[in-house]
Amino acid sequence: LYQYIPPHSAHPPGMMKGIVYGLLRNYYSQNSNESDYIHMAVLLLRRLVARGWDRTYIKSLIQSADSRLRSAEAQPSTTPNDRRPLTNKERLFLHYEYHPVGMP
């Protein structure tokens, strides 16, 4: 059993979208052969379904992430390369506690 987040966990509803996108982005950048990337995406689907996630929901997340990755690759980056990184004083970090039935 892989240690993916189960569907009944106390995480925000949109969390799984970010996990699937992040994993697929890694698979996409690490695999030069498209067949290897597709193989990893299929394994991700199987493993998440085995963990308890709805197959249709996960499949839609994978398809959405895949189309987003492929469209991002086709378009040139619009961010300037000379932008300096933000300092800690310029960043803002927000941390919200989340619980599916409200705040404890």
Side-chain angles (χ1 to χ4, degrees):
L1 183 65
Y2 292 86
Q3 294 186 0
Y4 294 113
I5 303 291
H8 57 274
S9 70
H11 287 80
M15 169 269 326
M16 201 62 204
K17 182 178 180 181
I19 288 177
V20 168
Y21 178 77
L23 287 171
L24 283 182
R25 184 183 60 205
N26 288 341
Y27 300 156
Y28 194 76
S29 65
Q30 292 171 352
N31 292 293
S32 55
N33 293 330
E34 185 173 356
S35 62
D36 293 336
Y37 163 71
I38 291 172
H39 175 72
M40 292 305 296
V42 169
L43 282 178
L44 177 64
L45 173 68
R46 289 180 186 161
R47 291 170 181 168
L48 289 173
V49 169
R51 190 71 171 144
W53 286 94
D54 178 59
R55 178 180 214 81
T56 308
Y57 175 66
I58 296 300
K59 187 175 179 180
S60 70
L61 291 180
I62 289 175
Q63 288 173 336
S64 172
D66 179 64
S67 65
R68 186 173 161 199
L69 286 167
R70 291 176 190 271
S71 68
E73 182 184 54
Q75 297 175 355
S77 176
T78 58
T79 58
N81 291 334
D82 58 352
R83 185 186 303 177
R84 67 174 179 75
L86 296 175
T87 66
N88 285 340
K89 290 188 177 211
E90 295 171 320
R91 292 182 189 183
L92 176 64
F93 294 96
L94 299 175
H95 178 77
Y96 293 104
E97 289 189 29
Y98 174 81
H99 195 277
V101 294
M103 293 299 286

